[in-house]
Amino acid sequence: MPLLTTTDAGIPIQGPSATLLYDDWYPALRTDTLRRNKMARAMLLGIPLVLGRSKGGKIFAMRDSCPHRGIPLSDGWFDGNRVTCRYHGWEFEPCSGQCRHIPSLSSHDHLDATKIYATAFPCEERDGHAWVFMPSPGSKGRSPSAKLPELEKFGPRYRTAHLSADLPCNVDHGIIGLMDPAHGPFVHQAWWWRTRSSIREKTKRFEPIPEGFRMSAHAPSANSAPYKLLGVYGQPVETTIDFVLPNRRTEIIRCGDKWFSSLTTVTPVTASTCRIDVVAAWNVFYHVPFLTPIAKYFGAKFVRQDQLTMIQQAEGLKHNPSLMLIDDADKPAKWYFALKQARLDSAATGAPPKHPLDSPVELHWRS
């Protein structure tokens, strides 16, 4: 069933739940929460996970379920080498999931414990997050078919920050809220960002990129206070914004040799909830260290404004209202749904995915 159907009134969008995209990398949790010989729980795409860090420093992600009787492995023990189930003491090598020991086996048993595997997922550490590759349900291969995401940096010296917020909505609502260009003067009204009275007409150029689209390099909005700060460097300011499936928005701002880079993801936790994660790096005002906690403070307030809006929207969505997308401010949301459908169709048929953009276009809106 297609995600979208066009109507005279606009394009209706998904209601209570969203189709999930597999065979890709998703951030499970911050790696600074992983302690030696300890395990941490996470949920991705409705699948409970247990994560940890081995004595050698390698991080791992397993399905939080013992293949014997299904008790969560996170209720057991981890000594830095093996995960031990607290029910019957089965021991597993966590990166492969291979069972290494079953205490109840006697000399009369012929079962080879090493042929038993708990489910383990490819897991890599990058930019302070534990990224987990989530294969399609029922698939046998464990080799990641997608490139591991990484925040782009433009020099060896920079500062970083992480932000996160849980959203009580499905991933579709989270993502189209992330890319929505028209909500800024209303959701993010503040003296340090912008006001409703600052609304003006915008024209932006978009171009297709593999499994996504790009807001081409342009001067950032003149009615956003943070961008105005870059004027102190006396150089032209240019920003580029990309969206790529399944859930990634990147923004790069350049001002001479000064730069800011961010990677924002909206990750499905369950079919009806998601989480927004932001990791940013910059060398702007690098030699003013007290500005970093200030930037983190206002960044958290910005994300909290989006979170509050999603909480309020979730109240309305409980009653399954009719929804729609309009031109031009909602065009990126339409492209997202079309890209998502194209990936699903490609997975089903084996044909190359059809991109909704065949050439660059200009969009116009007021914000």
mmCIF file of all heavy atoms in Angstrom, residues 64-103:
data_model
loop_
_atom_site.group_PDB
_atom_site.id
_atom_site.type_symbol
_atom_site.label_atom_id
_atom_site.label_comp_id
_atom_site.label_asym_id
_atom_site.label_seq_id
_atom_site.Cartn_x
_atom_site.Cartn_y
_atom_site.Cartn_z
ATOM 1 N N ASP A 64 18.082 -8.005 23.174
ATOM 2 C CA ASP A 64 18.026 -8.205 24.623
ATOM 3 C C ASP A 64 17.095 -9.360 24.957
ATOM 4 O O ASP A 64 16.048 -9.209 25.607
ATOM 5 C CB ASP A 64 17.553 -6.918 25.308
ATOM 6 C CG ASP A 64 17.827 -6.942 26.811
ATOM 7 O OD1 ASP A 64 18.547 -7.853 27.268
ATOM 8 O OD2 ASP A 64 17.328 -6.045 27.518
ATOM 9 N N SER A 65 17.508 -10.551 24.511
ATOM 10 C CA SER A 65 16.691 -11.748 24.716
ATOM 11 C C SER A 65 17.567 -12.978 24.610
ATOM 12 O O SER A 65 18.258 -13.167 23.603
ATOM 13 C CB SER A 65 15.574 -11.811 23.663
ATOM 14 O OG SER A 65 14.826 -12.991 23.779
ATOM 15 N N CYS A 66 17.564 -13.821 25.619
ATOM 16 C CA CYS A 66 18.316 -15.072 25.561
ATOM 17 C C CYS A 66 17.576 -16.037 24.633
ATOM 18 O O CYS A 66 16.356 -16.205 24.748
ATOM 19 C CB CYS A 66 18.442 -15.677 26.957
ATOM 20 S SG CYS A 66 19.346 -17.256 26.972
ATOM 21 N N PRO A 67 18.276 -16.683 23.694
ATOM 22 C CA PRO A 67 17.610 -17.595 22.763
ATOM 23 C C PRO A 67 17.077 -18.865 23.435
ATOM 24 O O PRO A 67 16.345 -19.627 22.799
ATOM 25 C CB PRO A 67 18.715 -17.920 21.750
ATOM 26 C CG PRO A 67 19.989 -17.714 22.490
ATOM 27 C CD PRO A 67 19.725 -16.577 23.431
ATOM 28 N N HIS A 68 17.413 -19.073 24.699
ATOM 29 C CA HIS A 68 16.953 -20.259 25.418
ATOM 30 C C HIS A 68 15.510 -20.088 25.877
ATOM 31 O O HIS A 68 14.606 -20.777 25.417
ATOM 32 C CB HIS A 68 17.880 -20.520 26.616
ATOM 33 C CG HIS A 68 17.526 -21.733 27.413
ATOM 34 N ND1 HIS A 68 17.786 -21.823 28.775
ATOM 35 C CD2 HIS A 68 16.934 -22.902 27.058
ATOM 36 C CE1 HIS A 68 17.376 -23.002 29.206
ATOM 37 N NE2 HIS A 68 16.867 -23.679 28.184
ATOM 38 N N ARG A 69 15.252 -19.112 26.769
ATOM 39 C CA ARG A 69 13.909 -18.912 27.309
ATOM 40 C C ARG A 69 13.417 -17.473 27.178
ATOM 41 O O ARG A 69 12.355 -17.152 27.690
ATOM 42 C CB ARG A 69 13.879 -19.331 28.785
ATOM 43 C CG ARG A 69 14.207 -20.794 29.060
ATOM 44 C CD ARG A 69 13.070 -21.731 28.666
ATOM 45 N NE ARG A 69 13.403 -23.107 28.982
ATOM 46 C CZ ARG A 69 13.220 -23.668 30.186
ATOM 47 N NH1 ARG A 69 12.709 -22.965 31.173
ATOM 48 N NH2 ARG A 69 13.570 -24.929 30.378
ATOM 49 N N GLY A 70 14.195 -16.614 26.543
ATOM 50 C CA GLY A 70 13.717 -15.276 26.246
ATOM 51 C C GLY A 70 13.897 -14.234 27.328
ATOM 52 O O GLY A 70 13.498 -13.079 27.147
ATOM 53 N N ILE A 71 14.508 -14.580 28.454
ATOM 54 C CA ILE A 71 14.724 -13.581 29.498
ATOM 55 C C ILE A 71 15.692 -12.514 28.985
ATOM 56 O O ILE A 71 16.611 -12.825 28.209
ATOM 57 C CB ILE A 71 15.269 -14.248 30.781
ATOM 58 C CG1 ILE A 71 15.267 -13.268 31.959
ATOM 59 C CG2 ILE A 71 16.651 -14.809 30.559
ATOM 60 C CD1 ILE A 71 15.612 -13.924 33.299
ATOM 61 N N PRO A 72 15.504 -11.236 29.339
ATOM 62 C CA PRO A 72 16.442 -10.205 28.868
ATOM 63 C C PRO A 72 17.873 -10.492 29.314
ATOM 64 O O PRO A 72 18.137 -10.754 30.492
ATOM 65 C CB PRO A 72 15.899 -8.924 29.515
ATOM 66 C CG PRO A 72 14.448 -9.180 29.716
ATOM 67 C CD PRO A 72 14.353 -10.649 30.065
ATOM 68 N N LEU A 73 18.793 -10.451 28.372
ATOM 69 C CA LEU A 73 20.205 -10.640 28.709
ATOM 70 C C LEU A 73 20.721 -9.510 29.586
ATOM 71 O O LEU A 73 21.682 -9.693 30.347
ATOM 72 C CB LEU A 73 21.034 -10.735 27.428
ATOM 73 C CG LEU A 73 20.826 -11.996 26.599
ATOM 74 C CD1 LEU A 73 21.516 -11.863 25.241
ATOM 75 C CD2 LEU A 73 21.341 -13.226 27.333
ATOM 76 N N SER A 74 20.080 -8.342 29.511
ATOM 77 C CA SER A 74 20.510 -7.202 30.323
ATOM 78 C C SER A 74 20.267 -7.434 31.811
ATOM 79 O O SER A 74 20.816 -6.709 32.645
ATOM 80 C CB SER A 74 19.786 -5.935 29.884
ATOM 81 O OG SER A 74 18.378 -6.092 29.967
ATOM 82 N N ASP A 75 19.476 -8.434 32.151
ATOM 83 C CA ASP A 75 19.266 -8.782 33.563
ATOM 84 C C ASP A 75 20.378 -9.677 34.093
ATOM 85 O O ASP A 75 20.407 -9.995 35.282
ATOM 86 C CB ASP A 75 17.919 -9.492 33.746
ATOM 87 C CG ASP A 75 16.736 -8.555 33.566
ATOM 88 O OD1 ASP A 75 16.881 -7.359 33.884
ATOM 89 O OD2 ASP A 75 15.674 -9.010 33.105
ATOM 90 N N GLY A 76 21.274 -10.083 33.201
ATOM 91 C CA GLY A 76 22.355 -10.966 33.604
ATOM 92 C C GLY A 76 23.631 -10.220 33.938
ATOM 93 O O GLY A 76 23.593 -9.114 34.494
ATOM 94 N N TRP A 77 24.772 -10.802 33.533
ATOM 95 C CA TRP A 77 26.075 -10.252 33.919
ATOM 96 C C TRP A 77 26.969 -10.128 32.691
ATOM 97 O O TRP A 77 26.809 -10.847 31.709
ATOM 98 C CB TRP A 77 26.754 -11.166 34.945
ATOM 99 C CG TRP A 77 25.930 -11.403 36.173
ATOM 100 C CD1 TRP A 77 25.858 -10.627 37.289
ATOM 101 C CD2 TRP A 77 25.046 -12.510 36.388
ATOM 102 N NE1 TRP A 77 24.982 -11.172 38.194
ATOM 103 C CE2 TRP A 77 24.467 -12.326 37.674
ATOM 104 C CE3 TRP A 77 24.667 -13.630 35.642
ATOM 105 C CZ2 TRP A 77 23.552 -13.216 38.218
ATOM 106 C CZ3 TRP A 77 23.756 -14.521 36.176
ATOM 107 C CH2 TRP A 77 23.205 -14.311 37.453
ATOM 108 N N PHE A 78 27.930 -9.206 32.780
ATOM 109 C CA PHE A 78 28.915 -9.020 31.724
ATOM 110 C C PHE A 78 30.262 -8.761 32.381
ATOM 111 O O PHE A 78 30.413 -7.819 33.168
ATOM 112 C CB PHE A 78 28.524 -7.854 30.820
ATOM 113 C CG PHE A 78 29.526 -7.535 29.744
ATOM 114 C CD1 PHE A 78 29.989 -8.522 28.885
ATOM 115 C CD2 PHE A 78 30.025 -6.239 29.586
ATOM 116 C CE1 PHE A 78 30.913 -8.232 27.893
ATOM 117 C CE2 PHE A 78 30.943 -5.952 28.600
ATOM 118 C CZ PHE A 78 31.391 -6.938 27.752
ATOM 119 N N ASP A 79 31.254 -9.604 32.084
ATOM 120 C CA ASP A 79 32.573 -9.491 32.720
ATOM 121 C C ASP A 79 33.597 -8.811 31.823
ATOM 122 O O ASP A 79 34.794 -8.828 32.124
ATOM 123 C CB ASP A 79 33.078 -10.873 33.152
ATOM 124 C CG ASP A 79 33.310 -11.815 31.978
ATOM 125 O OD1 ASP A 79 33.096 -11.401 30.808
ATOM 126 O OD2 ASP A 79 33.717 -12.982 32.207
ATOM 127 N N GLY A 80 33.141 -8.232 30.732
ATOM 128 C CA GLY A 80 34.059 -7.629 29.785
ATOM 129 C C GLY A 80 34.389 -8.529 28.617
ATOM 130 O O GLY A 80 34.915 -8.072 27.602
ATOM 131 N N ASN A 81 34.067 -9.819 28.744
ATOM 132 C CA ASN A 81 34.311 -10.781 27.670
ATOM 133 C C ASN A 81 33.047 -11.521 27.237
ATOM 134 O O ASN A 81 32.815 -11.711 26.046
ATOM 135 C CB ASN A 81 35.360 -11.814 28.100
ATOM 136 C CG ASN A 81 36.738 -11.202 28.273
ATOM 137 O OD1 ASN A 81 37.214 -10.478 27.408
ATOM 138 N ND2 ASN A 81 37.379 -11.489 29.396
ATOM 139 N N ARG A 82 32.242 -11.909 28.208
ATOM 140 C CA ARG A 82 31.045 -12.679 27.901
ATOM 141 C C ARG A 82 29.828 -12.121 28.622
ATOM 142 O O ARG A 82 29.937 -11.628 29.755
ATOM 143 C CB ARG A 82 31.229 -14.151 28.295
ATOM 144 C CG ARG A 82 32.309 -14.873 27.507
ATOM 145 C CD ARG A 82 32.389 -16.346 27.886
ATOM 146 N NE ARG A 82 33.457 -17.040 27.158
ATOM 147 C CZ ARG A 82 33.726 -18.334 27.272
ATOM 148 N NH1 ARG A 82 33.000 -19.096 28.101
ATOM 149 N NH2 ARG A 82 34.698 -18.880 26.567
ATOM 150 N N VAL A 83 28.692 -12.246 27.947
ATOM 151 C CA VAL A 83 27.400 -11.913 28.541
ATOM 152 C C VAL A 83 26.805 -13.206 29.077
ATOM 153 O O VAL A 83 26.706 -14.204 28.339
ATOM 154 C CB VAL A 83 26.456 -11.274 27.509
ATOM 155 C CG1 VAL A 83 25.051 -11.110 28.085
ATOM 156 C CG2 VAL A 83 27.006 -9.938 27.042
ATOM 157 N N THR A 84 26.422 -13.212 30.355
ATOM 158 C CA THR A 84 25.890 -14.407 31.003
ATOM 159 C C THR A 84 24.429 -14.205 31.357
ATOM 160 O O THR A 84 24.072 -13.232 32.023
ATOM 161 C CB THR A 84 26.692 -14.741 32.273
ATOM 162 O OG1 THR A 84 28.070 -14.932 31.942
ATOM 163 C CG2 THR A 84 26.158 -16.019 32.931
ATOM 164 N N CYS A 85 23.585 -15.144 30.903
ATOM 165 C CA CYS A 85 22.154 -15.086 31.204
ATOM 166 C C CYS A 85 21.932 -15.454 32.675
ATOM 167 O O CYS A 85 22.493 -16.447 33.171
ATOM 168 C CB CYS A 85 21.396 -16.054 30.298
ATOM 169 S SG CYS A 85 19.634 -16.160 30.661
ATOM 170 N N ARG A 86 21.097 -14.678 33.374
ATOM 171 C CA ARG A 86 20.889 -14.915 34.793
ATOM 172 C C ARG A 86 19.941 -16.088 35.049
ATOM 173 O O ARG A 86 19.808 -16.541 36.196
ATOM 174 C CB ARG A 86 20.360 -13.660 35.473
ATOM 175 C CG ARG A 86 18.928 -13.291 35.185
ATOM 176 C CD ARG A 86 18.439 -12.187 36.116
ATOM 177 N NE ARG A 86 18.414 -12.612 37.498
ATOM 178 C CZ ARG A 86 19.230 -12.153 38.454
ATOM 179 N NH1 ARG A 86 20.140 -11.239 38.166
ATOM 180 N NH2 ARG A 86 19.139 -12.591 39.682
ATOM 181 N N TYR A 87 19.268 -16.619 34.024
ATOM 182 C CA TYR A 87 18.303 -17.692 34.229
ATOM 183 C C TYR A 87 18.993 -19.057 34.339
ATOM 184 O O TYR A 87 18.809 -19.788 35.306
ATOM 185 C CB TYR A 87 17.290 -17.677 33.086
ATOM 186 C CG TYR A 87 16.003 -18.440 33.319
ATOM 187 C CD1 TYR A 87 15.013 -18.438 32.339
ATOM 188 C CD2 TYR A 87 15.756 -19.167 34.483
ATOM 189 C CE1 TYR A 87 13.808 -19.110 32.516
ATOM 190 C CE2 TYR A 87 14.565 -19.843 34.673
ATOM 191 C CZ TYR A 87 13.594 -19.820 33.683
ATOM 192 O OH TYR A 87 12.411 -20.499 33.867
ATOM 193 N N HIS A 88 19.822 -19.395 33.324
ATOM 194 C CA HIS A 88 20.494 -20.699 33.329
ATOM 195 C C HIS A 88 21.999 -20.590 33.111
ATOM 196 O O HIS A 88 22.672 -21.605 32.912
ATOM 197 C CB HIS A 88 19.899 -21.608 32.255
ATOM 198 C CG HIS A 88 18.470 -21.972 32.484
ATOM 199 N ND1 HIS A 88 17.425 -21.241 31.961
ATOM 200 C CD2 HIS A 88 17.906 -22.977 33.215
ATOM 201 C CE1 HIS A 88 16.276 -21.784 32.339
ATOM 202 N NE2 HIS A 88 16.534 -22.830 33.109
ATOM 203 N N GLY A 89 22.517 -19.351 33.122
ATOM 204 C CA GLY A 89 23.959 -19.178 33.049
ATOM 205 C C GLY A 89 24.577 -19.376 31.687
ATOM 206 O O GLY A 89 25.802 -19.510 31.585
ATOM 207 N N TRP A 90 23.775 -19.392 30.627
ATOM 208 C CA TRP A 90 24.367 -19.499 29.291
ATOM 209 C C TRP A 90 25.268 -18.288 29.046
ATOM 210 O O TRP A 90 24.908 -17.159 29.384
ATOM 211 C CB TRP A 90 23.275 -19.532 28.222
ATOM 212 C CG TRP A 90 22.485 -20.822 28.182
ATOM 213 C CD1 TRP A 90 22.249 -21.685 29.206
ATOM 214 C CD2 TRP A 90 21.827 -21.354 27.036
ATOM 215 N NE1 TRP A 90 21.479 -22.725 28.794
ATOM 216 C CE2 TRP A 90 21.197 -22.556 27.457
ATOM 217 C CE3 TRP A 90 21.685 -20.952 25.716
ATOM 218 C CZ2 TRP A 90 20.445 -23.359 26.591
ATOM 219 C CZ3 TRP A 90 20.940 -21.737 24.842
ATOM 220 C CH2 TRP A 90 20.332 -22.930 25.276
ATOM 221 N N GLU A 91 26.430 -18.541 28.438
ATOM 222 C CA GLU A 91 27.394 -17.490 28.195
ATOM 223 C C GLU A 91 27.545 -17.231 26.697
ATOM 224 O O GLU A 91 27.619 -18.175 25.903
ATOM 225 C CB GLU A 91 28.754 -17.860 28.792
ATOM 226 C CG GLU A 91 28.725 -18.040 30.302
ATOM 227 C CD GLU A 91 30.080 -18.459 30.870
ATOM 228 O OE1 GLU A 91 31.068 -18.446 30.095
ATOM 229 O OE2 GLU A 91 30.143 -18.794 32.068
ATOM 230 N N PHE A 92 27.604 -15.945 26.325
ATOM 231 C CA PHE A 92 27.675 -15.559 24.923
ATOM 232 C C PHE A 92 28.825 -14.593 24.689
ATOM 233 O O PHE A 92 29.093 -13.711 25.512
ATOM 234 C CB PHE A 92 26.373 -14.876 24.487
ATOM 235 C CG PHE A 92 25.149 -15.739 24.631
ATOM 236 C CD1 PHE A 92 24.410 -15.710 25.814
ATOM 237 C CD2 PHE A 92 24.752 -16.579 23.605
ATOM 238 C CE1 PHE A 92 23.285 -16.505 25.952
ATOM 239 C CE2 PHE A 92 23.628 -17.380 23.747
ATOM 240 C CZ PHE A 92 22.890 -17.346 24.911
ATOM 241 N N GLU A 93 29.501 -14.784 23.532
ATOM 242 C CA GLU A 93 30.457 -13.784 23.060
ATOM 243 C C GLU A 93 29.611 -12.682 22.426
ATOM 244 O O GLU A 93 28.883 -12.939 21.469
ATOM 245 C CB GLU A 93 31.412 -14.411 22.043
ATOM 246 C CG GLU A 93 32.645 -13.565 21.735
ATOM 247 C CD GLU A 93 32.310 -12.329 20.903
ATOM 248 O OE1 GLU A 93 31.592 -12.474 19.892
ATOM 249 O OE2 GLU A 93 32.745 -11.223 21.288
ATOM 250 N N PRO A 94 29.692 -11.443 22.940
ATOM 251 C CA PRO A 94 28.675 -10.457 22.583
ATOM 252 C C PRO A 94 28.760 -9.907 21.168
ATOM 253 O O PRO A 94 27.725 -9.542 20.601
ATOM 254 C CB PRO A 94 28.888 -9.348 23.615
ATOM 255 C CG PRO A 94 30.308 -9.477 24.045
ATOM 256 C CD PRO A 94 30.601 -10.938 23.990
ATOM 257 N N CYS A 95 29.943 -9.812 20.567
ATOM 258 C CA CYS A 95 30.032 -9.207 19.237
ATOM 259 C C CYS A 95 29.464 -10.126 18.158
ATOM 260 O O CYS A 95 28.882 -9.654 17.177
ATOM 261 C CB CYS A 95 31.477 -8.840 18.918
ATOM 262 S SG CYS A 95 32.123 -7.492 19.952
ATOM 263 N N SER A 96 29.622 -11.429 18.326
ATOM 264 C CA SER A 96 29.089 -12.391 17.361
ATOM 265 C C SER A 96 27.781 -13.001 17.823
ATOM 266 O O SER A 96 27.002 -13.504 17.003
ATOM 267 C CB SER A 96 30.100 -13.518 17.121
ATOM 268 O OG SER A 96 30.271 -14.281 18.316
ATOM 269 N N GLY A 97 27.527 -12.985 19.141
ATOM 270 C CA GLY A 97 26.345 -13.633 19.705
ATOM 271 C C GLY A 97 26.531 -15.123 19.918
ATOM 272 O O GLY A 97 25.605 -15.810 20.393
ATOM 273 N N GLN A 98 27.712 -15.659 19.621
ATOM 274 C CA GLN A 98 27.933 -17.100 19.727
ATOM 275 C C GLN A 98 27.901 -17.568 21.180
ATOM 276 O O GLN A 98 28.525 -16.964 22.055
ATOM 277 C CB GLN A 98 29.267 -17.489 19.107
ATOM 278 C CG GLN A 98 29.525 -18.990 19.087
ATOM 279 C CD GLN A 98 30.876 -19.340 18.490
ATOM 280 O OE1 GLN A 98 31.892 -18.713 18.839
ATOM 281 N NE2 GLN A 98 30.899 -20.307 17.582
ATOM 282 N N CYS A 99 27.174 -18.655 21.422
ATOM 283 C CA CYS A 99 27.148 -19.246 22.757
ATOM 284 C C CYS A 99 28.469 -19.985 22.997
ATOM 285 O O CYS A 99 28.914 -20.772 22.157
ATOM 286 C CB CYS A 99 25.975 -20.216 22.879
ATOM 287 S SG CYS A 99 25.792 -20.937 24.533
ATOM 288 N N ARG A 100 29.091 -19.727 24.138
ATOM 289 C CA ARG A 100 30.378 -20.336 24.446
ATOM 290 C C ARG A 100 30.293 -21.378 25.569
ATOM 291 O O ARG A 100 31.203 -22.189 25.723
ATOM 292 C CB ARG A 100 31.386 -19.242 24.826
ATOM 293 C CG ARG A 100 31.723 -18.281 23.693
ATOM 294 C CD ARG A 100 32.447 -18.982 22.553
ATOM 295 N NE ARG A 100 32.705 -18.103 21.435
ATOM 296 C CZ ARG A 100 33.735 -17.260 21.346
ATOM 297 N NH1 ARG A 100 34.584 -17.154 22.357
ATOM 298 N NH2 ARG A 100 33.895 -16.518 20.274
ATOM 299 N N HIS A 101 29.204 -21.358 26.335
ATOM 300 C CA HIS A 101 29.134 -22.299 27.456
ATOM 301 C C HIS A 101 27.696 -22.430 27.930
ATOM 302 O O HIS A 101 26.973 -21.433 28.065
ATOM 303 C CB HIS A 101 30.024 -21.813 28.603
ATOM 304 C CG HIS A 101 30.019 -22.702 29.790
ATOM 305 N ND1 HIS A 101 30.373 -24.045 29.749
ATOM 306 C CD2 HIS A 101 29.698 -22.460 31.108
ATOM 307 C CE1 HIS A 101 30.286 -24.573 30.955
ATOM 308 N NE2 HIS A 101 29.874 -23.632 31.791
ATOM 309 N N ILE A 102 27.271 -23.691 28.158
ATOM 310 C CA ILE A 102 25.975 -23.987 28.772
ATOM 311 C C ILE A 102 26.255 -24.834 30.004
ATOM 312 O O ILE A 102 26.614 -26.019 29.893
ATOM 313 C CB ILE A 102 25.043 -24.734 27.799
ATOM 314 C CG1 ILE A 102 24.743 -23.866 26.580
ATOM 315 C CG2 ILE A 102 23.733 -25.125 28.501
ATOM 316 C CD1 ILE A 102 23.864 -24.542 25.530
ATOM 317 N N PRO A 103 26.142 -24.266 31.193
ATOM 318 C CA PRO A 103 26.541 -24.965 32.413
ATOM 319 C C PRO A 103 25.808 -26.278 32.657
ATOM 320 O O PRO A 103 26.367 -27.197 33.284
ATOM 321 C CB PRO A 103 26.218 -23.953 33.522
ATOM 322 C CG PRO A 103 26.248 -22.630 32.855
ATOM 323 C CD PRO A 103 25.729 -22.878 31.472
#
